[in-house]
Amino acid sequence: IFIDIGPVVVVPSETWYWPDLLPLRWELFGRRSARRYRRIDGEGREYFTFYEVPGLATFASPEYQATLREPTEGTRRIMPHFRNMVRSLCTSVLDTGRGTGGIVAAIPLEPDEATASRLGEALAPRFNRLIEAPCITRCRLWQTDVAATRAPNPESRLRGDSDAWMPWIIVVEGSSPERVASAARALASDPVVAAARPAASPACYTLLAALP
């Protein structure tokens, strides 16, 4: 999830997100991983949040669907202030390295069919080289499942505008803002990635909260 939040509720949104939304979704999604970040550099939405789940069927579960139909009081109060939301339900194509980096660069991509077919093969050796570099801990490539992402979502009515989605996303994790940003710019300038229209200066984020 990538979002901007209206300035009037930036502070209230943080007091809601950590004790309310993040742990609730983490519980529903199998207690695997939930992370929330705020942008510190580059072009992109102000906040980036992602959850790891057992599988895309998680989003069709009765328990999750009930939270979408019956949001908490805090969700009803804060979510109308969400802006420019990008929500993508993804599968992992590449996952190189390990651990949790305190700094993350996220590179949304919109490749044509020919470019999309080459992304995994082209990025695998680049990811292998990057995690050998200082302060780069993990590189991932996610592909959005369009049908799952576009399934009806009752919660979206709180946000007013329709949610956008990105077909592919590269995520680079590490411990140094400068090195993560440099790695992201290098990936964005790679000919195969550049054909998928990334931002010239991909957004870099710092970790705000994580579970477990």
Side-chain angles (χ1 to χ4, degrees):
I1 296 168
F2 300 90
I3 56 167
D4 295 321
I5 296 178
V8 174
V9 294
V10 166
V11 173
S13 74
E14 292 309 308
T15 61
W16 156 77
Y17 219 109
W18 172 246
D20 189 335
L21 187 64
L22 202 75
L24 174 62
R25 297 288 161 89
W26 177 68
E27 290 275 358
L28 287 172
F29 295 161
R31 297 188 173 189
R32 296 201 171 192
S33 178
R35 304 189 208 172
R36 177 164 167 77
Y37 298 83
R38 185 167 189 173
R39 183 167 56 86
I40 54 174
D41 193 20
E43 305 170 42
R45 270 68 168 180
E46 191 70 10
Y47 295 92
F48 172 39
T49 302
F50 72 86
Y51 305 88
E52 296 184 54
V53 303
L56 291 176
T58 300
F59 299 105
S61 70
E63 295 80 8
Y64 177 61
Q65 289 296 315
T67 69
L68 300 181
R69 292 191 304 270
E70 302 169 12
T72 66
E73 179 182 347
T75 299
R76 291 194 301 270
R77 185 177 69 254
I78 298 297
M79 202 164 278
H81 298 275
F82 281 17
R83 302 286 184 269
N84 307 317
M85 182 155 170
V86 173
R87 177 179 179 270
S88 296
L89 309 185
C90 305
T91 56
S92 178
V93 176
L94 294 173
D95 187 355
T96 307
R98 61 181 181 176
T100 299
I103 305 296
V104 160
I107 312 174
L109 304 175
E110 297 184 82
D112 59 25
E113 186 174 345
T115 302
S117 69
R118 300 168 56 201
L119 277 173
E121 182 179 1
L123 286 172
R126 291 160 176 77
F127 284 4
N128 287 332
R129 288 194 296 270
L130 274 177
I131 64 165
E132 296 300 323
C135 304
I136 304 298
T137 58
R138 196 168 185 175
C139 297
R140 312 196 209 198
L141 175 64
W142 298 336
Q143 181 179 13
T144 296
D145 185 297
V146 177
T149 299
R150 298 183 69 178
N153 180 357
E155 190 181 73
S156 65
R157 71 182 186 275
L158 295 174
R159 298 188 281 274
D161 298 332
S162 298
D163 298 341
W165 53 277
M166 281 293 172
W168 296 75
I169 304 168
I170 296 172
V171 176
V172 180
E173 300 186 45
S175 57
S176 161
E178 295 78 14
R179 290 185 180 273
V180 170
S182 177
R185 287 193 298 269
L187 285 171
S189 65
D190 177 273
V192 175
V193 177
R197 297 181 289 169
S201 178
C204 285
Y205 297 85
T206 188
L207 185 65
L208 294 178
L211 287 168

